[in-house]
Each structure stands twice: as structure tokens, then as C-alpha cells.
Amino acid sequence: MTLHRVVAVSKNTEVHQLARQVGQEVFVADDLTEALDIIKTVNPDLILFDHRFSPICIKKFLRTTNKNSDVNIIVVGSDENNIHPPAEYTDIGACYYVPGKKDNYRLQKIVNQIKSNLKSYTLKEEIGDFFADDLASLVSMVGQSKATKNTLKMIKLVAASQCNPILIVGETGTGKELAAKAIHTLRHPNEQFVAVNCAALTANLLESELFGYVKGSFTGADREKTGLLELAASGTIFLDEISEMPLDLQSKLLRVLQEKTFRKVGGIKEIRCKATIIASSNHNLANEVRAKRFRQDLYYRLDICPVIIAPLKSHGRREDIQLLAEYFLRISTICPEKANKITSITKLAMNTLQEHDWPGNVRELCNVIERAILLETTGKIGLSSIVITPAESDVLYYNASADKIMDFSLAKAECELIARALRETNWQKTKAAELLGISRATLYAKVKQHHIANGSSRAELMGEVPAEFSIPLPAEPMVIS
């Protein structure tokens, strides 16, 4: 791993060699005056000093350049007798001290750490445009749409009030827990945030988790357990998917909301509930009440000032799809070796993302982008890597009767992709070429090569491609996306 710009302030060729091993661009200065001239014209990621320069000299130099707080300094020792101890250099602002000029392994580890810190800082700057405000950035709630801004406005309104409990409503994957964390961050920034999924536990286990139990209250209760309501203390407890809570447990929760006290299972002592209780549901609770699956009195107790999160398919939030896709591409760590190599999404692929209804909402979109990163072999995520329903996509690759893999011919894939781009743009070749990332001349050549005619069906395009139409090496490079 290398840094972009490194300045080596030294006459020693071994120090210069160290700099070249860790920097893409290396600037060499024999003395501090020359180094000052270099730094005025370049903004280095790292400055290497050798042991000739005392801590006092380096400190004065950094003050002169006004870079005593935002530049990484490494001092390289002499391998033998070092006049000044490492602590003196770190005290004046040096990040690290390398004992000798031959200690390349240690230097590389230091550079890797610096590179990681720079990447994190750059990423924070780059992803700033994805958020509507500082609160959204703090909890990673991506979106600039009117619907997202309205949700944030309601979150701030509820968090500033004494409203307790708080209900958050939204489809699966819309970000209900992020909204709960945003409320918690505003209301109890220094307290506990405790989350429990009501759908993931049986009735008895959920009761024990929420309220805790006393020793001997049931078989196996060999010790006293602190419940999540007590653990949350003066912070927040988040009851995710409260609509899945059993009816008998709903009545016990209702008492907590009304009395602000509860008892452990098998206990007689009343424990004060100080926490803010936030509940969420992906169902319409009014409909659940009518279906006798949710208590009416609990519903009315929860439904004070609900925070409603719009799904991605709604008109008011569709513009967030592109932001979310680009954000997930930017922050993904699913394939570390592709980090910074896949930098964008083609227009045709983005159009496909924006046309989908996203029943799984943000969570589903994140999965699609992660999958695309794994599949993509170029620097842009293309249409061929956007697999929205992987289980259904098997139909494209397998013959149902023979259960054998069908033709994976690149020629057929290229032919179908070009035809789709033409259909998407109503056969406007300039726009189609732009979607594909190729020139208009290359598009004309490919249309002629594959015998693509206006009105060709997908079945016709997926037919056998004769040997005489095999793809020759194009005059200019072409990336099928």
C-alpha cells in the first residue's frame, strides 16, 4: 500500500529509497529551506525526516508551514546511535519514529495505518452529500428526498418532546431502527440504546428478556436475570416489530406504559421504568386491531405522534434510490480487493434500479449493490451485474427440462444488452451508445454485426449465433455494462 505524495527531507539515499517504497510521488529535499519550497507547491500525505534534524528544528519547520496538525511526520533513526530519544519527536507532533533506515517492514505498517486514516477522512468528505443534515449523517440515514426530510423533521419534533412511548411505522427494510437511533441520539446521547426483535423470540423468552426474572421463578432459573427494560435505565428500549408480540404480553407492556413500573417474572418488587420506549411495526396496526391480532388499548397508547417512514416505491422517496445505490457502492466492504476499483454505476443499470419497486426497500437495495460488486469485473457496475431476484434469475441460466447450463456465449450477452439499450431509448442510437458507454460508430458496427433489427424479440436475439458472426476484436475498446 502506498501514499500519493511523500516528501523526504534527507541527503541519505537509504531514506530516499524508503520514501520511494511507500509513495507514488516522491519529492526529495536536502535541507529544511528546500523542503519548505516543495511543501508550498504540493500537499504531501507524509514527510520523512532523518535523525540529523532535531525535534526543535522540526517543530519550527512545522510552525512555518502551518502544518503542525494536519500532516503525518515520520522520523527515521540512524540504525546505530540516535542523539534524541523517540519521545522527544512524538512530543513535537511526529506521528511515528522508525529506529533505523532499514526498518522497511515497520514503515510499511505505519503507512498502511496512515492510508487507512486518510481513506476514512476522505470517505467522510465524499459521503457528506448523501445526507440531508448532520443528524442523518450521524445515524447513516441516506436521502435528500422530500419524504426523507419530512421523516427527519418528525424525528426531531418527537425527540424534543416528552412523548413516551413513540411509534415508528414503515415497511420492512425502510430503516425503522435508524430512525429509533436518531431519536435516541437526540434525546439520550449518553445513555443506553437497547433493541429487541419481538418476532425473533417465543412468548416466554420475550417476557423473560424484557422483564427479567428472579431466582427460582421457574425451572432452570438458577440465578436472577436483569431484564432489558431495567438494563435500558434512563436510555431507550426499542421494541422492533411489536405487532408480533403475543396478546397476553401486550397487556403486560400496556401496564408498563401506563404505570411506568414493572415486576420481574416471579418477583413482587415494583421496578421503575425510566427508559423511553420506542416501538416499530411493518404492519398497519389499525388493521391488526380489526383482525384481533393487536390490542386496541395498546394501539391507542402507542399512536400518539407516529413517525412514518415512506417506502422506496413511493413517489416522494424514489429520488433516494440513486443516492442509496451510490452510497452503498462507496462504503461496501464485501470485496476488499475491489475497493476503489468499482467507482460508478452505468446509466442503464441505474435506470433498472430506479424502475424496481423494492419490496425489501433499503435492505434489498443494499443486497443488490453488494451482489453487483461481487459479480462486476470492470470499473463500473453494469446491467449484467444487477441481479435483483437471484432465485428467479436461474431461469436465464438453466434449462428446466434438462437441468443443464445453457449457452453463456459472450456474443449473445452482448447482442441482448445492445438490443435492450436500443429498446430503452426507442432506437435513438446516440442515447443508446451513451447508456452503453461506447461511441455511436461502435454501436452501429455492433448492430450490423449481430443483425439487430428494430422490433426483434428477445427470443430471436437469444437464438443461435452463427460462427461467421463471432465477435472480432473491435477497433476501440468496449466495456459491456
Side-chain angles (χ1 to χ4, degrees):
M1 188 179 284
T2 59
L3 295 167
H4 187 49
R5 294 188 184 93
V6 175
V7 174
V9 190
S10 174
K11 294 181 180 180
N12 193 301
T13 55
E14 289 178 322
V15 175
H16 300 168
Q17 185 60 34
L18 278 178
R20 292 189 184 95
Q21 289 175 1
V22 298
Q24 295 176 9
E25 295 180 29
V26 176
F27 303 85
V28 176
D30 289 343
D31 52 44
L32 295 180
T33 303
E34 188 178 357
L36 187 60
D37 291 336
I38 292 172
I39 291 171
K40 284 179 180 177
T41 57
V42 302
N43 188 27
D45 301 315
L46 172 67
I47 303 176
L48 280 178
F49 289 95
D50 67 24
H51 69 286
R52 291 186 304 118
F53 299 99
S54 68
I56 295 175
C57 288
I58 294 175
K59 186 176 183 179
K60 289 180 179 178
F61 172 79
L62 292 175
R63 284 179 177 172
T64 304
T65 60
N66 294 318
K67 290 185 175 292
N68 54 316
S69 61
D70 62 350
V71 69
N72 294 287
I73 303 295
I74 294 180
V75 178
V76 182
S78 68
D79 287 318
E80 297 166 358
N81 297 321
N82 293 304
I83 301 172
H84 302 283
E88 289 188 22
Y89 287 105
T90 54
D91 286 346
I92 57 91
C95 301
Y96 305 95
Y97 180 90
V98 178
K101 298 184 288 295
K102 296 178 181 178
D103 202 349
N104 179 57
Y105 174 71
R106 182 177 296 184
L107 180 62
Q108 188 62 60
K109 287 183 68 175
I110 292 169
V111 168
N112 289 347
Q113 182 61 46
I114 293 171
K115 185 78 172 179
S116 177
N117 293 340
L118 284 173
K119 187 185 293 183
S120 299
Y121 179 75
T122 304
L123 181 62
K124 287 178 183 177
E125 286 188 324
E126 288 177 347
I127 65 177
D129 292 338
F130 294 111
F131 304 107
D133 58 25
D134 291 341
L135 173 63
S137 176
L138 196 62
V139 296
S140 298
M141 188 178 288
V142 176
Q144 295 277 6
S145 67
K146 184 178 179 180
T148 298
K149 289 177 180 178
N150 285 341
T151 298
L152 287 166
K153 183 178 179 181
M154 183 58 71
I155 285 171
K156 292 172 185 175
L157 183 67
V158 169
S161 72
Q162 296 300 313
C163 182
N164 188 9
I166 298 167
L167 178 63
I168 301 174
V169 181
E171 292 183 3
T172 297
T174 49
K176 296 187 291 295
E177 186 163 351
L178 289 182
K181 286 180 178 177
I183 294 169
H184 169 77
T185 300
L186 290 173
R187 189 180 282 194
H188 309 296
N190 301 314
E191 301 292 341
Q192 285 263 50
F193 178 87
V194 179
V196 57
N197 188 336
C198 299
L201 302 172
T202 63
N204 289 337
L205 188 55
L206 181 58
E207 182 178 13
S208 297
E209 287 295 309
L210 283 177
F211 299 106
Y213 53 78
V214 297
K215 182 178 179 180
S217 57
F218 55 84
T219 303
D222 55 354
R223 58 181 176 80
E224 185 166 321
K225 177 181 174 63
T226 301
L228 298 180
L229 283 168
E230 187 177 359
L231 184 64
S234 298
T236 302
I237 182 163
F238 176 53
L239 305 177
D240 195 15
E241 306 305 351
I242 195 171
S243 56
E244 303 301 317
M245 182 179 284
L247 287 168
D248 58 340
L249 195 52
Q250 289 179 27
S251 64
K252 295 182 179 180
L253 177 63
L254 179 63
R255 183 176 181 278
V256 176
L257 298 181
Q258 291 174 339
E259 305 297 329
K260 301 299 181 184
T261 61
F262 65 93
R263 295 176 186 170
K264 291 185 177 183
V265 175
I268 57 173
K269 179 183 177 182
E270 293 286 346
I271 300 173
R272 182 74 178 165
C273 179
K274 301 176 183 178
T276 296
I277 298 175
I278 303 178
S280 79
S281 176
N282 62 357
H283 294 294
N284 185 316
L285 289 183
N287 291 340
E288 294 298 296
V289 169
R290 284 190 286 271
K292 308 296 184 184
R293 290 190 292 265
F294 199 80
R295 290 182 62 100
Q296 186 178 51
D297 47 5
L298 179 57
Y299 167 62
Y300 287 129
R301 191 69 184 82
L302 291 170
D303 194 38
I304 303 169
C305 191
V307 176
I308 300 171
I309 306 179
L312 287 184
K313 66 184 177 185
S314 67
H315 177 72
R317 204 180 175 196
R318 273 207 171 273
E319 65 187 83
D320 287 340
I321 293 173
Q322 180 170 345
L323 276 180
L324 283 160
E326 292 173 349
Y327 176 76
F328 291 136
L329 172 61
R330 197 71 58 86
I331 68 167
S332 174
T333 57
I334 194 169
C335 201
E337 63 270 23
K338 293 183 180 179
N340 301 321
K341 292 181 181 178
I342 302 177
T343 57
S344 60
I345 303 172
T346 65
K347 289 185 179 179
L348 197 58
M350 188 62 77
N351 287 346
T352 299
L353 295 176
Q354 290 175 324
E355 289 169 4
H356 186 57
D357 277 343
W358 301 107
N361 290 288
V362 178
R363 190 179 297 120
E364 182 189 5
L365 177 56
C366 179
N367 290 344
V368 168
I369 297 301
E370 299 260 75
R371 189 181 303 126
I373 292 169
L374 288 173
L375 295 173
E376 189 55 61
T377 57
T378 72
K380 287 184 178 182
I381 288 180
L383 184 61
S384 59
S385 297
I386 299 296
V387 183
I388 294 178
T389 51
E392 294 176 11
S393 67
D394 289 348
V395 177
L396 299 176
Y397 307 127
Y398 290 89
N399 183 316
S401 59
D403 197 33
K404 292 180 180 178
I405 294 177
M406 295 171 65
D407 194 346
F408 275 98
S409 167
L410 182 60
K412 289 183 179 179
E414 182 181 76
C415 175
E416 184 181 7
L417 188 57
I418 291 171
R420 177 168 180 179
L422 288 165
R423 289 195 298 270
E424 290 280 343
T425 58
N426 293 318
W427 277 78
Q428 296 182 40
K429 293 187 175 67
T430 300
K431 288 186 177 180
E434 185 181 348
L435 282 176
L436 292 165
I438 61 177
S439 69
R440 183 182 170 92
T442 301
L443 178 63
Y444 270 109
K446 294 296 179 183
V447 168
K448 184 177 180 181
Q449 174 186 324
H450 294 300
H451 293 264
I452 302 172
N454 195 346
S456 298
S457 68
R458 186 178 184 279
E460 291 171 332
L461 292 171
M462 290 301 285
E464 290 297 324
V465 178
E468 59 265 32
F469 296 138
S470 59
I471 303 175
L473 187 65
E476 66 177 272
M478 176 181 179
V479 176
I480 295 299
S481 303

